[in-house]
Amino acid sequence: MLVTGGAGYIGSHACKALKQAGYTPVTFDNLITGWKDAVKFGPFERGDLLDRARVNEVFAKYKPTAVMHFAALSQVGESMQIPGKYWRNNVFGSLELIDAAVEFGVKNFVFSSTCATYGDQDNVVLDENSVQLPINSYGASKRAIEDILANYSESNGLNHVIFRYFNVAGGDPDGEVGEFHQPETHLVPLILDAIDGKRDALTIFGTDYETPDGTCIRDYVHVCDLVDAHVLGLKWLEDGKGDRVFNLGTGKGFSVREVMDAAAYVTNRVVPQIEGERRAGDCTKLVSGSVRAETELGWKPNRSNLETMIKDAWRWHQNGHFEK
Ligand code: UFG
């Protein structure tokens, strides 16, 4: 089982879940945003997806029968400032990986996509059949990879499951791995940084959105629930059930202010805050409107309530970090 991005936040949690399910997750990661210390559940191979010879070497060494592809640049804000970086890394890198998978006879491919592929669609229920109109380069790069997979399924018989994540938060309750980005750009860890003085304040990116409290709304899903769905997705492919797209969200939206309030409640601390400008590329509201993962995969998210996610993130935040 090859796991690209296995040294990253979601990939490392996936490796733990895969190991628990009886697989041997081989991490392939360039460590640009990932951490060697986070690779705890299987072999590690350092490399870049753009380096096809290195990718081939790893396929030849381990002969994986399936690939889980997490490796990507994933910052919405940065993708608007440096779009070429996202197109090159995410799309070209994925193409090399997909070509190698076909060359080495891999049949099953699980891909991390995003609700950012839907874009800003007001009052539309976002299910897997919704039109994809990304408003940032990150979402556009992920949509392009979805298209590549559809083509390769048709032409090369590469079966795939695509997961469109909503906003991932929380961490391993055992504290073996957790969310740790350098620099950090995600809302929950930034709020926790502000709470314990690691940064001066949380800047709210826009307070004039057309939402009840003026701040953006997102659907938060616990990373452990998210990776459980990946194991189910892999089994789906192993059972020969064919290509499928699944949203991974809870269907409940929380505004930036609501997340801050929940963090203040869980930690019993004040969140120092500043009201700032909108961040380019941000959608007003992204909330899943699908229960396909529950009904078809049998996915049962059990840690994805806001308080549990923040509690797990807070525990990790106080004790955990990685070093290169
Ligand atoms: N936000 C702030 N202040 C900050 C950071 C974030 O107000 O300092 C706001 C954002 O504007 C947004 C919300 O908090 O409204 C969540 O922002 P994140 O950066 O945590 O997450 P994004 O929604 O931008 O993107 C994340 C992942 C993507 C994924 C996407 C799906 O980074 O990989 O969720 O929505 F695709």
Side-chain angles (χ1 to χ4, degrees), residues 74-76 114-116 138 165-167 185-187 190 202-205 216 218 220 256 279 282 286:
S74 66
Q75 294 175 23
V76 169
T114 168
C115 63
Y138 167 65
Y165 307 165
F166 285 70
N167 283 55
T185 63
H186 294 98
L187 182 62
L190 285 176
L202 186 279
T203 302
I204 303 175
F205 292 148
C216 292
R218 296 286 182 274
Y220 293 86
V256 172
R279 181 175 66 178
D282 270 349
L286 286 167

Side-chain angles (χ1 to χ4, degrees), residues 2-126:
L2 186 68
V3 181
T4 73
Y9 168 43
I10 301 171
S12 61
H13 287 78
C15 287
K16 179 166 179 168
L18 285 164
K19 188 175 179 200
Q20 282 171 341
Y23 297 90
T24 302
V26 177
T27 289
F28 185 85
D29 200 299
N30 60 14
L31 297 185
I32 287 179
T33 56
W35 305 93
K36 169 93 178 57
D37 281 0
V39 184
K40 298 183 169 178
F41 311 103
F44 175 56
E45 294 287 342
R46 187 170 185 166
D48 197 296
L49 291 175
L50 291 166
D51 179 354
R52 180 62 187 280
R54 179 74 183 119
V55 173
N56 281 2
E57 216 171 78
V58 172
F59 271 93
K61 180 169 173 188
Y62 294 95
K63 302 183 177 55
T65 54
V67 172
M68 256 185 212
H69 179 30
F70 296 94
L73 296 171
S74 66
Q75 294 175 23
V76 169
E78 185 190 55
S79 83
M80 296 303 284
Q81 288 151 9
I82 326 172
K85 187 172 164 186
Y86 278 69
W87 284 99
R88 194 164 296 106
N89 181 82
N90 292 359
V91 180
F92 292 3
S94 297
L95 196 52
E96 296 295 359
L97 175 70
I98 293 166
D99 274 335
V102 168
E103 187 182 325
F104 284 85
V106 170
K107 286 279 166 250
N108 297 331
F109 196 99
V110 178
F111 175 57
S112 305
S113 188
T114 168
C115 63
T117 60
Y118 293 124
D120 221 352
Q121 304 187 41
D122 214 10
N123 296 321
V124 173
V125 173
L126 296 177

Side-chain angles (χ1 to χ4, degrees), residues 56-272:
N56 281 2
E57 216 171 78
V58 172
F59 271 93
K61 180 169 173 188
Y62 294 95
K63 302 183 177 55
T65 54
V67 172
M68 256 185 212
H69 179 30
F70 296 94
L73 296 171
S74 66
Q75 294 175 23
V76 169
E78 185 190 55
S79 83
M80 296 303 284
Q81 288 151 9
I82 326 172
K85 187 172 164 186
Y86 278 69
W87 284 99
R88 194 164 296 106
N89 181 82
N90 292 359
V91 180
F92 292 3
S94 297
L95 196 52
E96 296 295 359
L97 175 70
I98 293 166
D99 274 335
V102 168
E103 187 182 325
F104 284 85
V106 170
K107 286 279 166 250
N108 297 331
F109 196 99
V110 178
F111 175 57
S112 305
S113 188
T114 168
C115 63
T117 60
Y118 293 124
D120 221 352
Q121 304 187 41
D122 214 10
N123 296 321
V124 173
V125 173
L126 296 177
D127 67 23
E128 294 83 354
N129 296 318
S130 300
V131 56
Q132 292 174 286
L133 300 166
I135 63 163
N136 52 60
S137 310
Y138 167 65
S141 72
K142 288 282 186 174
R143 186 186 61 178
I145 302 161
E146 291 194 16
D147 290 345
I148 294 170
L149 284 171
N151 291 161
Y152 273 64
S153 172
E154 193 81 10
S155 313
N156 298 297
L158 183 65
N159 306 312
H160 61 267
V161 160
I162 291 172
F163 287 115
R164 294 189 188 136
Y165 307 165
F166 285 70
N167 283 55
V168 189
D172 173 27
D174 306 329
E176 288 191 274
V177 283
E179 183 169 15
F180 188 67
H181 298 106
Q182 290 274 347
E184 188 51 77
T185 63
H186 294 98
L187 182 62
V188 171
L190 285 176
I191 291 173
L192 299 179
D193 276 350
I195 283 176
D196 73 1
K198 287 191 187 126
R199 65 184 62 229
D200 293 341
L202 186 279
T203 302
I204 303 175
F205 292 148
T207 53
D208 59 348
Y209 284 95
E210 284 184 24
T211 60
D213 68 17
T215 65
C216 292
I217 293 176
R218 296 286 182 274
D219 178 342
Y220 293 86
V221 55
H222 195 292
V223 65
C224 292
D225 289 336
L226 186 97
V227 299
D228 283 351
H230 287 65
V231 176
L232 294 169
L234 182 60
K235 291 189 172 139
W236 169 280
L237 289 172
E238 287 172 351
D239 290 345
K241 292 186 177 164
D243 302 339
R244 202 69 171 140
V245 179
F246 297 97
N247 278 359
L248 292 178
T250 65
K252 289 196 207 83
F254 295 95
S255 71
V256 172
R257 288 194 204 279
E258 285 173 326
V259 178
M260 292 166 70
D261 288 347
Y265 174 75
V266 166
T267 60
N268 201 19
R269 308 259 196 101
V270 172
V271 186

